[in-house]
Amino acid sequence: MTSSIADLATPAPFADLPFFVKDVQALTSDLVLLDTVPAESLPPDARPGQFFQILLEGGEVYLRRP
């Protein structure tokens, strides 16, 4: 299998995947580290280092966050 830079830069299709928060660690007064685990298996095309955006339901923030 061969791949090119264009193949690596192609974004995966958007999908909402549920995750659970396993641990919360306060790093500074305004920075928190969330350790999450997927509620189900990840899609087969998910790759290490891939970018995910988080949507918090019921919160006051409407934009997704990395």
Side-chain angles (χ1 to χ4, degrees):
M1 179 176 156
T2 62
S3 65
S4 68
I5 297 295
D7 293 333
L8 298 175
T10 303
F14 180 79
D16 283 331
L17 302 172
F19 277 72
F20 294 110
V21 176
K22 187 170 110 176
D23 188 40
V24 178
Q25 182 181 8
L27 301 178
T28 67
S29 62
D30 61 349
L31 186 62
V32 176
L33 176 66
L34 299 176
D35 184 7
T36 61
V37 293
E40 52 196 55
S41 63
L42 293 176
D45 58 349
R47 300 288 179 250
Q50 192 164 13
F51 193 102
F52 287 91
Q53 292 189 22
I54 297 174
L55 172 66
L56 300 176
E57 295 180 5
E60 294 180 15
V61 177
Y62 298 106
L63 297 175
R64 291 179 181 230
R65 300 290 189 247

